[in-house]
Amino acid sequence: MDDFTPYCNFDGFVEQNISTFVNDRLASAQIQSVSHLSSSVVLPHLYDEHPPPEYFYVRAPSSYSAVVQLYLRSGQLDTALTRFTRFTNDEQPWCRFGCIALESLHHIFVDCPRFSSFRQSTIHDLLASTISLLDTYSILPPIASSITTTIKGLLLNSEVWPLHKTFYYYGMLPRMDDLIPQASLSDISRNRLLSCLASICHSGCVILAARIWGVVRCATNPTLTTRRHPTTLSLPSLSFIAAALSSSSLVHVHAQTPS
């Protein structure tokens, strides 16, 4: 054994590389932190398990919504709070839109008043699409009321969510199966309705998340919203074009004359 060896109360003498050991201990402490789990980890089995629509992830000509989802789920969306915790420069964790709050994911997508109109517009569109879908399946008013109540709470920290905290911006939804009793429809119709309902809600949520983050990025980088002035081209006059054409034809005729 070396003359000096690091010692840890939990693991005893540290014989491996000290930097690797410290990183492992920090990662273990972070994973075991209750506050870390409650704010950063989404447990999928608590939420709706219907597959999302393929369009945004497979067929969309512009994949911005999918890119935002990728960065969200991998923890790489660069909010002010994320940059503050990861970098040692002069980054500040406060909301860039003037709120007296940390600019976390939840604040930007759920609480920030800058995007209240976006959220209200999305709820309005979701309710309209949902009511039209329920009318198609002739759903009874009590069941329809329960479903619309869930839709109204999608973007809020409300009791419709398993942990009373919305994660719509991850494309997650509260469980839909319990909203429609099995006796109300045939199995095929019920499954089809639930799938359509989940697809409508997922689409609205990921589009909203992309819209909000697009505005955040434009606020960070104003050059993204700067309009380029169109370039004015000076075209030659018709007389100049006619003269050029006539001279080119004369040259062509002159070139053909010797033969």
Side-chain angles (χ1 to χ4, degrees):
M1 182 177 291
D2 297 334
D3 294 336
F4 299 96
T5 303
Y7 178 83
C8 176
N9 292 332
F10 298 99
D11 300 295
F13 289 102
V14 180
E15 299 181 5
Q16 66 186 95
N17 182 281
I18 187 63
S19 62
T20 303
F21 173 78
V22 171
N23 288 334
D24 291 343
R25 291 299 304 170
L26 289 174
S28 177
Q30 188 177 27
I31 291 174
Q32 295 174 4
S33 170
V34 176
S35 60
H36 171 74
L37 287 173
S38 62
S39 61
S40 303
V41 176
V42 179
L43 304 176
H45 66 274
L46 295 178
Y47 302 93
D48 191 76
E49 297 180 351
H50 287 90
E54 294 183 353
Y55 177 79
F56 297 99
Y57 307 99
V58 178
R59 302 175 182 175
S62 175
S63 59
Y64 187 70
S65 297
V67 170
V68 171
Q69 288 300 304
L70 172 63
Y71 277 76
L72 269 167
R73 296 188 178 216
S74 60
Q76 300 300 316
L77 215 59
D78 58 333
T79 62
L81 182 60
T82 300
R83 295 196 304 272
F84 176 79
T85 55
R86 294 184 182 180
F87 303 113
T88 57
N89 52 16
D90 295 331
E91 292 285 348
Q92 294 297 317
W94 309 110
C95 178
R96 71 193 73 190
F97 297 105
C99 305
I100 307 177
L102 298 176
E103 190 184 272
S104 62
L105 291 175
H106 200 78
H107 173 76
I108 284 292
F109 290 106
V110 180
D111 298 327
C112 187
R114 170 65 177 82
F115 305 107
S116 295
S117 60
F118 287 17
R119 292 188 284 267
Q120 293 173 1
S121 174
T122 298
I123 288 296
H124 180 271
D125 294 341
L126 287 178
L127 284 174
S129 300
T130 300
I131 292 173
S132 177
L133 179 65
L134 297 179
D135 289 342
T136 302
Y137 284 85
S138 302
I139 299 299
L140 296 176
I143 301 175
S145 176
S146 175
I147 295 174
T148 54
T149 300
T150 300
I151 298 299
K152 292 177 182 178
L154 276 183
L155 310 183
L156 305 172
N157 295 327
S158 62
E159 64 276 2
V160 303
W161 290 92
L163 302 179
H164 291 193
K165 183 177 181 180
T166 178
F167 286 107
Y168 82 86
Y169 44 92
Y170 285 104
M172 310 295 289
L173 301 172
R175 285 187 174 274
M176 301 289 185
D177 292 346
D178 298 335
L179 298 177
I180 304 176
Q182 293 185 350
S184 60
L185 292 170
S186 65
D187 290 342
I188 295 178
S189 297
R190 180 175 178 273
N191 292 336
R192 186 177 299 165
L193 174 57
L194 287 171
S195 179
C196 292
L197 184 60
S199 178
I200 290 173
C201 294
H202 180 89
S203 300
C205 289
V206 298
I207 290 174
L208 174 61
R211 288 183 64 197
I212 290 176
W213 191 247
V215 173
V216 173
R217 293 301 300 159
C218 290
T220 305
N221 187 1
T223 58
L224 296 176
T225 58
T226 302
R227 292 186 177 181
R228 296 182 179 180
H229 296 288
T231 303
T232 302
L233 299 177
S234 298
L235 298 177
S237 62
L238 293 178
S239 58
F240 178 83
I241 295 175
L245 291 175
S246 61
S247 62
S248 62
S249 61
L250 290 175
V251 171
H252 177 72
V253 172
H254 179 73
Q256 296 293 331
T257 302
S259 62

